[in-house]
Amino acid sequence: MIVLGIDPGLSLTGWGIVDAFSRDKINPIQYGCIKTMPSTPLIERLQRVHTEIQTIINKYKPEAVAIEEIFFLKAARSVASVGQSRGAIVLTISINKLPLFEYNPRTVKIALTGYGSADKHQMQRMVKTFLKLKEIPRPDDAADALAMAICHVNTVKWASKR
Amino acid sequence: MIVLGIDPGLSLTGWGIVDAFSRDKINPIQYGCIKTMPSTPLIERLQRVHTEIQTIINKYKPEAVAIEEIFFLKAARSVASVGQSRGAIVLTISINKLPLFEYNPRTVKIALTGYGSADKHQMQRMVKTFLKLKEIPRPDDAADALAMAICHVNTVKWASKR
């Protein structure tokens, strides 16, 4: 099962593709970060995020997309930026008729570490362990996106071992 | 010049189409409201907003789109809802390669009433006057969208009278 994990943002959107054969066998395929400049008009920034996500979908053909829920405790301006990017991303997923799964940060932390208050470093180490990577994925947004994809793999009901 | 004005929201998105021959001659073409239910999954709500805006663009062929800037003083949850809908709408405008113009509420108030602190009622009366309507457009979101379109017509530099 190929899963695309997304950590949405306007300046930085992390993404990660994994291929899962079971809960315990998850292979990293690719990960990265979509960057847009604050000096660029909003419409061009959202078009850029859309085009890059579309390219990732075309290339890796994910069967499911896992995205982080909006975190309300941030400043309203930050929520507005993340929200607009997230709206453009969710619409892109919808246009591609892919199933979307939304996870809040606490659920992702529990899925990866068994602990809802795990810190960023513990999470990143678990991403490295789950995916048998030699190093922690950089930037943080890409590691967060991979965590999202792993969380989805762990949440899905596996009917039988492949 | 056909202008589409939009007052973005997730539960309610107001829209209005005007045809302007000059600053003083603005004809209302159509206006309305896109509604989505809070009980519907986000991805379906954003798809609905996208589909309806696309239908309006196909039908009325606007040459420019005027949209309200995000208002940061609201609660973060409300900013998140409006933001995601606005992101999906802006992406739809971008996909259609239409020029987008963003106006903040104060600019719209000054354009319509000459007064940056005009209240909702004064604004709605001016929309009615500008468009020579018999009644104030309902719901409020549609009136706000028409105000946005009128603001754009008043902001554009008119090279010569048509």
Side-chain angles (χ1 to χ4, degrees):
Chain A
M1 178 177 65
I2 296 173
V3 179
L4 166 59
I6 299 178
D7 177 24
L10 188 53
S11 294
L12 283 175
T13 291
W15 62 273
I17 294 274
V18 303
D19 190 6
F21 296 88
S22 68
R23 278 183 204 194
D24 308 315
K25 199 175 172 201
I26 311 175
N27 292 335
I29 303 296
Q30 190 57 276
Y31 57 86
C33 207
I34 303 165
K35 290 182 194 174
T36 74
M37 297 296 290
S39 56
T40 305
L42 175 78
I43 189 167
E44 291 175 30
R45 298 176 83 182
L46 296 184
Q47 179 65 50
R48 171 73 184 276
V49 171
H50 164 73
T51 304
E52 299 256 346
I53 295 283
Q54 188 60 58
T55 302
I56 292 161
I57 291 172
N58 293 346
K59 185 165 181 183
Y60 300 104
K61 302 187 175 27
E63 294 148 76
V65 183
I67 193 167
E68 190 168 42
E69 277 184 4
I70 283 200
F71 188 54
F72 292 115
L73 296 181
K74 290 180 183 170
R77 188 173 293 270
S78 157
V79 172
S81 292
V82 174
Q84 292 183 90
S85 180
R86 195 176 190 280
I89 292 167
V90 170
L91 179 58
T92 305
I93 306 310
S94 175
I95 290 171
N96 283 276
K97 301 192 195 313
L98 290 173
L100 181 75
F101 300 87
E102 302 181 71
Y103 297 103
N104 67 52
R106 194 178 150 78
T107 303
V108 180
K109 284 175 181 178
I110 292 173
L112 268 85
T113 69
Y115 178 55
S117 303
D119 68 20
K120 191 175 270 290
H121 233 77
Q122 290 173 294
M123 287 291 288
Q124 292 177 345
R125 277 202 302 274
M126 286 310 292
V127 168
K128 175 172 170 282
T129 304
F130 263 107
L131 301 179
K132 297 169 194 70
L133 295 167
K134 285 182 184 165
E135 289 181 3
I136 285 171
R138 297 279 172 230
D140 288 357
D141 308 78
D144 288 349
L146 287 168
M148 210 67 54
I150 295 166
C151 171
H152 180 65
V153 171
N154 275 276
T155 306
V156 161
K157 286 188 176 56
W158 289 87
S160 59
K161 300 247 173 192
R162 267 167 75 180
Chain B
M1 178 176 65
I2 296 174
V3 178
L4 166 59
I6 299 178
D7 177 25
L10 188 53
S11 294
L12 283 176
T13 291
W15 64 273
I17 294 273
V18 303
D19 190 6
F21 297 88
S22 69
R23 279 186 202 192
D24 310 314
K25 200 177 172 198
I26 312 175
N27 292 334
I29 303 297
Q30 190 57 275
Y31 57 86
C33 207
I34 304 165
K35 291 181 194 174
T36 72
M37 298 295 291
S39 56
T40 305
L42 175 78
I43 189 167
E44 292 176 30
R45 298 176 83 181
L46 296 184
Q47 178 66 49
R48 171 71 185 276
V49 171
H50 164 71
T51 304
E52 299 255 348
I53 295 284
Q54 188 59 59
T55 303
I56 292 162
I57 291 172
N58 293 347
K59 185 165 180 183
Y60 300 104
K61 303 187 172 28
E63 294 147 76
V65 182
I67 192 166
E68 191 169 42
E69 278 184 3
I70 284 200
F71 189 53
F72 292 115
L73 296 180
K74 290 181 182 169
R77 188 172 292 273
S78 158
V79 172
S81 291
V82 174
Q84 292 184 88
S85 181
R86 196 178 189 279
I89 291 167
V90 170
L91 178 58
T92 305
I93 306 309
S94 176
I95 290 170
N96 283 275
K97 300 193 195 313
L98 290 172
L100 181 75
F101 300 87
E102 302 182 71
Y103 297 103
N104 66 53
R106 194 177 150 78
T107 303
V108 180
K109 284 176 180 178
I110 292 173
L112 267 83
T113 69
Y115 178 56
S117 304
D119 67 22
K120 191 174 270 287
H121 233 78
Q122 290 173 297
M123 286 292 287
Q124 292 177 342
R125 276 201 303 273
M126 287 310 291
V127 168
K128 176 172 170 282
T129 304
F130 264 107
L131 301 179
K132 297 168 195 70
L133 295 166
K134 284 183 183 165
E135 290 180 0
I136 286 170
R138 297 282 173 225
D140 289 356
D141 309 78
D144 288 349
L146 287 168
M148 211 66 55
I150 295 166
C151 171
H152 180 65
V153 172
N154 275 276
T155 305
V156 161
K157 286 189 175 57
W158 289 87
S160 59
K161 301 250 174 190
R162 264 165 79 181

